[in-house]
Amino acid sequence: MKVTLSVIKADIGSIGGHITPSKRLLETVRQHVREKGEGLLIDSYVSATGDDIAILSTHTRGPVDEAVHKLCWDTFMKGTELAKSQGLYGAGQDLLKEAFSGNVRGMGPEVVEMEFDERLNEPFLFFAADKTDPGAYNLPLYLAFADPMNTPGLLLSSKLSRGFRFVIMDVNYTEGDRIIELNAPEELYDIAALLRDPERYVVESIWSRATGDLAAAVSTSRLHNIAGKYTGKDDPVMLVRTQMHFPATGEMLAPFAVGHFVAGGMRGSHNMPLMPVKLNSPISYFDGPPIVTCAAFAMHDGVMTEAVDAFDHAFWDSVRERVAGKAMEMRRQGFFGSAMLPMGELEYTGVMEKLEELDGRFEVRED
Ligand code: F6R
Ligand code: MG
Ligand code: MG
C-alpha cells in the first residue's frame, strides 16, 4: 500500500517564555486533528518538543495535499486563539501569513513528508528538534548514511554497500529550491564540503541507491528567509525509515551521542550542543540547550503503533550529562568567539546598530 507520512510543526505559543506549550493547547490541537481529520487521515500523533507542536499524520493523499495542509493550518490557527486566551508567550508566532493558500510551505510551519510503498513491516523514526535549525541534522545523517565507522551496515549489507544519494539544498537561495544531488561513497568529500556549513547547505532527503527508495527527509525552511528577518529558530523535523536496506535504528540514533554544537539556544543566537532528550521534554538552561527527540514507530496499512521513546534509556542519561557539561563549558566564554553566532545568523540586530555607530568613531592615525 502506498502511504504518505506528513509532519507539520509550528510554535504557536508556550508557557514561561519558550519552554513548552500548555497541556490545554496540546489537547486542543490533538482533539481538532482527531475530529477534523476523520475520513481524511488514517492515523495521527500530536507531540511537543520544547515550545513546538508537531502533527504527524498518515494518509494516502500524497505530499503537499491541500486538505491535509489546511487541516494542520486551521488546527494551528485554532490553537493560537487558545494560546492568546491563556496569555502564552509568542502565541501564533510561526504563522507568518494571514490566509491559507494551497499548502503551508513558505507560511511559517516546518513541513516534512514522505510517500512510499509500505514494506511488510515498516519501522520509522520521527525526530523533532527545538532551538536550532535544519542543518542540525547534517552531521547525524552523514554519519548514519555515509560513514562505516558509525554504520557497519555499509560494509555488512550488500544493499547498503551500494550507497546512498544525498539531495542537498542551498537554503540561502529564496527564489526557489536550489538543490544538488551527490552520491555516497564516490562523492563523499563533496558531500562533506557542503554539509560542514549547516546554516547554508542542508540535507533535504536521502535515497537508497540499491532500490531507489526514499530513506530520510528533513524540513528545510528557514523562517528568516520567509519573514525577511529573524522570527525564531526553525526547529526542524525529520523522518527516517530504518532497517533492511536502510541503516538500522541503532545506527541512526548513534550519531546523536556526539552532542555536536549547533546554532540555537539563548535568543536564537548562540552555539550550543544538541542534547537528545525524552519525548515531550521542555526547554531550560540558557533557553536551551538545543534538544532533539525521537519517536519510533511501526506501521501497517498506515496505522501506527504507539510511539516508543528512543532516547528514554539509561544509556542516554550519560550522554545528557556529558552534553550538559559541554553546554556549561561553552557558556563560560559568554559572548566571545564561537560561543555566539556570526553576525549574519544573529536573531537580534542591536549589536549591528552598535557596530555601525562605533564605526563612525574610528579614526585612521595620521603617521
Ligand atoms: C525557538 C525559539 C527561539 C526564540 C529566540 C528569541 O523555538 O524559541 O529561537 O525565538 O530565543 O526569542 P525571544 O526574543 O522571544 O527571547
Ligand atoms: Mg520558540
Ligand atoms: Mg521552538
Side-chain angles (χ1 to χ4, degrees), residues 11 18 51 89 130-131 232-233 235 266-268 347-348:
D11 176 353
H18 295 283
D51 58 9
Y89 187 71
D130 189 37
K131 307 290 178 271
K233 277 278 167 267
D235 307 336
M266 182 53 68
R267 299 179 187 274
E347 213 170 281
Y348 284 73

Side-chain angles (χ1 to χ4, degrees), residues 253 276-278 309-320:
L253 296 179
V277 295
K278 295 177 192 178
D309 190 340
F311 292 134
D312 184 4
H313 187 281
F315 171 82
W316 296 100
D317 290 339
S318 83
V319 171
R320 285 188 270 272

Side-chain angles (χ1 to χ4, degrees), residues 45 122-127 240 242 249 253 279 293-298 304-311:
Y45 168 75
E122 187 58 61
F124 73 90
L125 306 174
F126 160 47
F127 291 89
V240 185
T242 56
T249 294
L253 296 179
L279 294 177
T293 59
C294 177
F297 292 93
M304 296 181 285
T305 57
E306 71 273 25
V308 167
D309 190 340
F311 292 134

